[in-house]
Amino acid sequence: MPFRVEASPSFKDLIRSTDRTVAGMFVCSGDAGVAEICAGSGLDYLLIDGEHGPMGLESILAQLRAVAGYPCLSVVRVPFNDAVLIKQYLDLGAQTLIVPMVNNAEQAEAAVAAMHYPPRGIRGVGSALARSARWNRIPDYLNRAGDTLTLIVQIEAAEAVQNAAAIAAVDGVDGVFIGPSDLAASMGVLGQQEHPDVVEAVLQSIREVKAAGKFVGVNAFVEASARRYIDAGADFVNVGADVALLARGTEALAAKFIQAPQDAPAGTPASY
């Protein structure tokens, strides 16, 4: 007799179960060992980044398995809003997906459709073949899957900020993630996440998403920025990345023992 298995918690379960801002970090290296180390850090979640990280389906699966043994949630960002990719990531067993570059309600609706089986959506049926249903060991998975998943869409363009209320109002969008880096680029201030116009756009998006009754988060590696957005009502904040921590940490270690060459750039490189 097979074990009875239930679906793992998703991000909306985490948000509902806590009365504080949730904190997590990017895992961009693609390495399951790094993901496991970070999973034991005490952070609430790890954001496995299939958009900017060097990851295929096999490496994402390995990271999901590595994190599963820890009290830390896995969130996975797909490369782009594509129904085939979303189907594959869900079949790997990802319970929470972030879909990047969602600029309007129509794009949000497409992401919702990709998350759900017919008749609500267009997700292909392969539960007997996939880790998502634990190879059909989760009872009634096909009818219950949509209730156990979390869809977060990412606002990261000036157009998306203008449409934030409409995006958040889409039925099936559980939450919104704001990306200041691409937002700054779209506003003509590339690399200036702290530009006053960018900050105000983030704050406006937080207000509008919250008013729509959805949870909202933001990427903010600088502590002062993270705390500003927490004070503004952000439900979750992404506060770092494995590769950035390694880069800055090794630079600091080298600086203790090796004098920098005269032509070395001054200051510390930005981490986001």
Side-chain angles (χ1 to χ4, degrees), residues 81-102:
N81 193 358
D82 177 83
V84 173
L85 282 173
I86 289 172
K87 172 184 65 178
Q88 290 179 304
Y89 279 47
L90 292 175
D91 282 349
L92 291 179
Q95 286 290 95
T96 303
L97 294 187
I98 291 183
V99 176
M101 297 290 183
V102 172

Side-chain angles (χ1 to χ4, degrees), residues 45-115:
Y45 70 89
L46 299 184
L47 202 174
I48 299 168
D49 189 16
E51 182 185 15
H52 291 293
M55 303 181 199
L57 296 175
E58 293 84 359
S59 62
I60 290 173
L61 176 59
Q63 290 172 86
L64 290 171
R65 286 174 168 160
V67 176
Y70 294 82
C72 179
L73 230 58
S74 293
V75 178
V76 185
R77 183 161 68 174
V78 298
F80 63 104
N81 193 358
D82 177 83
V84 173
L85 282 173
I86 289 172
K87 172 184 65 178
Q88 290 179 304
Y89 279 47
L90 292 175
D91 282 349
L92 291 179
Q95 286 290 95
T96 303
L97 294 187
I98 291 183
V99 176
M101 297 290 183
V102 172
N103 294 327
N104 53 54
E106 291 74 21
Q107 292 173 358
E109 288 166 355
V112 172
M115 293 283 289

Side-chain angles (χ1 to χ4, degrees), residues 184-258:
S186 79
M187 296 174 70
V189 286
L190 179 66
Q192 299 180 54
Q193 292 89 341
E194 293 300 308
H195 190 284
D197 292 343
V198 177
V199 171
E200 179 51 39
V202 173
L203 294 173
Q204 175 186 331
S205 299
I206 291 173
R207 291 191 296 267
E208 295 192 7
V209 175
K210 298 282 282 188
K214 305 296 176 70
F215 65 80
V216 60
V218 61
N219 198 54
F221 291 4
V222 177
E223 183 178 353
S225 301
R227 297 200 180 279
R228 177 204 301 132
Y229 297 134
I230 290 170
D231 291 342
D235 299 289
F236 69 101
V237 182
N238 210 56
V239 294
D242 57 345
V243 291
L245 290 169
L246 184 60
R248 303 293 84 79
T250 51
E251 289 159 7
L253 180 64
K256 292 180 180 179
F257 299 100
I258 302 172

